[in-house]
Each structure stands twice: as C-alpha cells, then as structure tokens.
Amino acid sequence: MSTDTLDTRDEIYVGGVWTRGSGALIESVNPANSEVFATLHGATTADVDAAVAAGLKAVEESGWAKKLPHERAAVLHRISSAIEANADRIAELQTLDTGKTLAETKALAMSAAATFRFTASALETMEDALTSPRGNYLSMSTYEAIGVVGAITPWNSPIASDAQKVAPALAAGNAVLVKPPVWAPWVSLLLARICEEAGLPAGLLSVLPGPGRVVGDAIARHPDIGKISFTGGTSTGRQLGHIAAEKIMPITLELGGKSPTIIFADADLDQAVAGVLYGIFSSSGQSCIAGSRVFIQRSVYDAVVERLVKGAEALRIGPGTDPSTQVGPLVAHAHRDAVARMVEDARLAGAQILCGGAAPEELRLQAGAFYEPTIIGGVSNSDVICQEEIFGPVAVILPFDDEADLILQANDSVFGLACGIWTADYRLAWRTARAVSAGTVWVNTYKQFSISTPFSGLKESGLGTEKGRDGIRSYMHQKSIYIDLSGASIPWAGN
Ligand code: NAD
C-alpha cells in the first residue's frame, strides 16, 4: 500500500480551519513493520479554547440547533454517503495506523456510514411530548441542544467510535470537539475532511489530536463544554468523571471489560469453539467486549480446551494488508510489550500457558508488534490475569461445575460490559443472560452489533448509553414548558 495517496497532511482541524498544530509532535508508526509513515503536530490548550469559541459561534450563526430535524438529517445523510464513498480510503488509513486487518477496517468504515444514516433517520422520528396537565394550561416536555460537547475516543476502532459520538451530537444540534487517540489520530482527521466536503457548516466540528492529559483534560474542564462522551480505559474514565462532578456536567463513559464467555456442556461445540476464538482473538483481542474469560463446564472442559488450543494455533498471524490474515499486529510495540509482561507475570505466578505466550518467530513478522494468540489455564478467577483487562490476544480458561458456581465466578469482576453464552437450552440461556452483570449478552453468537440497539456497560464498564434511537437524547437537555390557556391571573396575587 502506498502512503502517497493517503491523507496524512500535518494539519489539525480547529473550528473549521485546517492548521498546523503547535502542540506535541506525534510520530505515527505502522505497527506491522515499525516504519514511521507520518508525523503530526498536535493541538494545544489554546486550540481547545479556539475550537470551543468557534463551536459556540457556529451553532449561533449557522442556526444549526434551530434548523428543523429534517434539515440537519439531510447533512448527516450526505456525510453517510461520503463515508461510504471513501470507505476504502478510510480502511487503508486505519489499517496503516492501527494494524487491524483491511477486512475489519472496511467493516468499521461501513458501520460509521450506517451510524450516520441511522442517526439521520432516527432524528426525523424524535418526538417531544405533551404531558397531562393538572390545570388550564398546556404542559410539554421538550429537548434542546446542549451547545458544545466533547468526544474523547480510544485507538482500537477510531472511525466507529467517532461516528458513534459525532453523529448523535450533531443530530442533537450541537457543535462537537473530537479528541482522537495519539496512537490513531488520522481517520478522525479524514472524517473531518469528509464532513466538510459534505457541507457541514464550518466550526461545528473540530478534531484536536494530542496527549489526553493535556488536550482531553482541557476539553473536559472548559467551562463552555456542556457534556463529555468518553470511550476508553476505566482509570481515565474515572478521572473524567471527577471533572464532570466538579462541573455538574453530564458524562457518558464507555469503559473497559473482562467479559465472560460461557460454554455449557450441551452447547453445539463447533459453534461455541468458533465463536469463542472469534470473540477473543479477532482485532487481536484489542476490543472492549473481547470475551477474555472463558468458562467451560467441567464435563466438557478437557475436550473444549484441546479444540480451543488447536484453533488458536491455526490462526493466521500477519499484516493487516494481507487478505489471509486473521490476527494482525497490536497497535504499538509499547502495548505489545505490556501484554507480554502481563502474560509473563501470570506464568511466574504459576499459570499454564497452553499456547502462544510469545511474539511469533516468523522472520517476516519480526519488525512488527505481533503477539501470538494465547490461552492460559491453571488459574483461578481471583488471579490478577483473570481480573485485569489485558486488551490483547489473551484468553484465560476456567472450569465451572453448575449454574450457581458459574454465575458467582462470572460476576466476580469489577467489570460488566459483555457476556457470551453457548448452550442449546433456551431456558438456561435466558436465566444466565438475566443473572449475569453485563450491558450486552450474546447467546450462541458474539460481537454482533446493531446501531439501533443501545450499548452500555455496568459496574466499572461504564455510565450511560450510546446508540439506539435515544442516543441522540443523551446530547440534549430536557426542558418542561407550561403555557397558560385560561387568560386569568393566578388568584394568589389577589387581582
Ligand atoms: P485511554 O483511556 O488510555 O485513552 C482514551 C482516550 O482518552 C484517548 O484519546 C486518550 O488520549 C484520552 N485520555 C487519556 N488520558 C486522559 C485524561 N487524563 N483526560 C482526558 N483524556 C484523556 O484508553 P485507550 O488505551 O485509548 O483505549 C483502550 C481502552 O478503551 C480499553 O480499556 C477498552 O476496553 C476501552 N474501550 C471501551 C469501549 C466501550 O465502548 N466500552 C470501546 C473501545 C475501547
């Protein structure tokens, strides 16, 4: 793939203006071969101030919030079509920046287009309510834009995370500042170019790459930012939650996970093994919803472990640009090394590495941030390796005896993001789905997503909901209005 055709100009997007940033220099490295493919000067806190001011002005001058829903929806439909038309370009750029396979980044680009399309359609179906009056007046509940909001996103699926925040924030009538991750800023900038070409009024969108502790923090603390929508790690989410509490500002947090995926003895084992391998090793495990704790009923434990190990060893590791690759590199060497350290610590603590547990030996993969699909046994659910998010291609496997034992173990986690259940018994599936602490449960499938279905995390996996028809509402204030119909004075005043 040639980088000449890809959009990697050293420019950030501040309040509708493309400009070279004067913040920290970001070196973008292709994790498949360690080559620096672009450099980018990031934003400063002054850029945050300028972007907020431009956002406020743009909302006012373009009349964005006051436009009728179908008028805003028309712009979002055009953005959706433009994303679709540029899907290959987006996919190539994201593969270069994150290492993900082209098949996955193309799917993420198409899902971003679908998010804009769905949000545009949903916007036209939104309704305010006439509420029941208790007197001679009209009472209603209406929704209004917040003003300027901040969207802070992680590196694992940048185009999809951006779309999930930018589409509803704009649909609701706001301006939005996006703070993309340092490890993957480029597709957010490309999205801004696409939005600009699709006719989004200038100033409504800013894209401000840079270190989270500087740029992200400044966005969250800015007095004119009325909401933060954050996707990322739980510790960062907690810090942002403190800022939101100080400002009394709404915040949506989509955070980490350590999701259980459960194989009952009666499951279709072909289906279960394929689903579990996909659930943990696709995206090289760099997925908030990765099914990273695999619980297997004891009577089928040995047979299933053997099949999982065989399946993991057969996965094809390679660069994301190779169409036969199933497991691409991790996003960066620093991250690969952090994953390797966690596995090594578990090994030293007595865990058994059943497969993987190292960088691949193949010569062609030596320069990249690759790590073998790894399965770890001989652990107990309370071990560090079973409790902490690894965010890499590493599964721990744990036996369970019966339903009660399973639920105890599955829920013994600070996280509550997702869960997979593999069984032929629909009553058992239903009971387990209801008993497990998770925002999303899949039965006999995994990692399937519909933009019309709400997404949220329980416990330390998050706060608030994204997606779904009501996703737009989370970027709005609710306002109640009473209008007198009697023409009479309130008797208390005495006239
Ligand atoms: P991260 O928390 O390190 O960073 C996320 C974003 O926050 C980045 O843009 C970063 O620059 C910014 N940031 C960092 N410190 C900040 C601060 N003090 N103030 C403001 N902004 C700050 O997460 P990551 O490593 O980029 O992403 C991986 C994490 O994201 C994993 O924990 C994963 O589970 C989670 N994630 C969750 C979901 C979900 O929907 N629940 C989806 C994808 C990823």
Side-chain angles (χ1 to χ4, degrees), residues 60-419:
E60 192 56 37
E61 287 180 0
S62 69
W64 183 247
K66 294 194 181 108
K67 277 190 196 300
L68 296 170
H70 74 275
E71 294 171 329
R72 288 200 299 274
V75 178
L76 298 186
H77 277 299
R78 286 204 299 275
I79 294 173
S80 172
S81 301
I83 293 173
E84 252 163 29
N86 284 283
D88 287 329
R89 225 171 128 207
I90 295 169
E92 283 181 26
L93 195 54
Q94 191 158 322
T95 290
L96 193 62
D97 215 4
T98 62
K100 282 173 176 281
T101 64
L102 274 174
E104 185 183 348
T105 52
K106 178 80 184 279
L108 288 169
M110 295 309 282
S111 101
T115 297
F116 273 91
R117 183 82 65 208
F118 170 83
T119 308
S121 306
L123 175 58
E124 290 202 57
T125 71
M126 306 305 280
E127 289 166 352
D128 292 338
L130 277 183
T131 54
S132 300
R134 296 178 75 91
N136 196 4
Y137 51 75
L138 204 59
S139 52
M140 64 191 86
S141 170
T142 62
Y143 289 86
E144 294 180 351
I146 289 172
V148 186
V149 302
I152 303 178
T153 57
W155 46 261
N156 63 319
S157 311
I159 191 71
S161 312
D162 287 357
Q164 241 162 265
K165 299 183 189 311
V166 172
L170 290 175
N174 302 289
V176 56
L177 273 56
V178 175
K179 208 305 279 173
V182 169
W183 277 343
W186 293 105
V187 292
S188 305
L189 291 162
L190 181 52
L191 177 64
R193 290 189 192 279
I194 289 170
C195 290
E196 188 178 44
E197 281 163 25
L200 183 72
L204 289 180
L205 174 65
S206 288
V207 178
L208 307 171
R213 263 171 287 128
V214 180
V215 182
D217 183 83
I219 293 173
R221 289 185 194 280
H222 196 290
D224 289 327
I225 287 286
K227 173 188 171 132
I228 288 289
S229 176
F230 171 77
T231 300
T234 295
S235 66
T236 315
R238 190 172 277 119
Q239 289 175 47
L240 289 166
H242 281 291
I243 296 172
E246 280 163 27
K247 287 176 65 181
I248 319 287
M249 166 179 73
I251 186 163
T252 303
L253 299 172
E254 300 287 2
L255 308 176
K258 189 80 181 178
S259 298
T261 178
I262 300 154
I263 303 179
F264 285 101
D266 69 341
D268 174 335
L269 294 184
D270 290 339
Q271 195 191 25
V273 166
V276 167
L277 291 171
Y278 175 69
I280 178 61
F281 296 128
S282 60
S283 315
S284 304
Q286 303 166 115
S287 168
C288 55
I289 46 163
S292 50
R293 280 188 302 150
V294 183
F295 291 97
I296 305 166
Q297 197 151 21
R298 208 176 288 278
S299 58
V300 291
Y301 184 82
D302 290 339
V304 171
V305 171
E306 197 185 322
R307 293 179 68 167
L308 285 173
V309 168
K310 211 167 148 207
E313 285 175 340
L315 293 171
R316 292 181 300 276
I317 308 175
T321 46
D322 178 344
S324 69
T325 294
Q326 289 166 293
V327 181
L330 276 70
V331 70
H333 281 77
H335 182 54
R336 191 269 309 265
D337 296 347
V339 169
R341 269 196 305 277
M342 291 184 80
V343 173
E344 186 53 18
D345 287 349
R347 196 184 63 77
L348 292 173
Q352 284 174 276
I353 313 300
L354 300 176
C355 65
E361 283 174 4
E362 248 184 279
L363 205 57
R364 72 181 182 119
L365 304 179
Q366 290 310 301
F370 294 94
Y371 197 74
E372 289 174 342
T374 299
I375 297 181
I376 300 181
V379 287
S380 112
N381 187 57
S382 56
D383 292 350
V384 173
I385 198 77
C386 300
Q387 290 291 322
E388 290 189 359
E389 186 180 39
I390 302 174
F391 221 58
V394 180
V396 291
I397 46 168
L398 296 144
F400 69 92
D401 293 312
D402 53 28
E403 240 179 290
D405 173 35
L406 178 267
I407 295 300
L408 267 180
Q409 293 197 64
N411 286 347
D412 180 16
S413 166
V414 295
F415 297 111
L417 196 56
C419 172

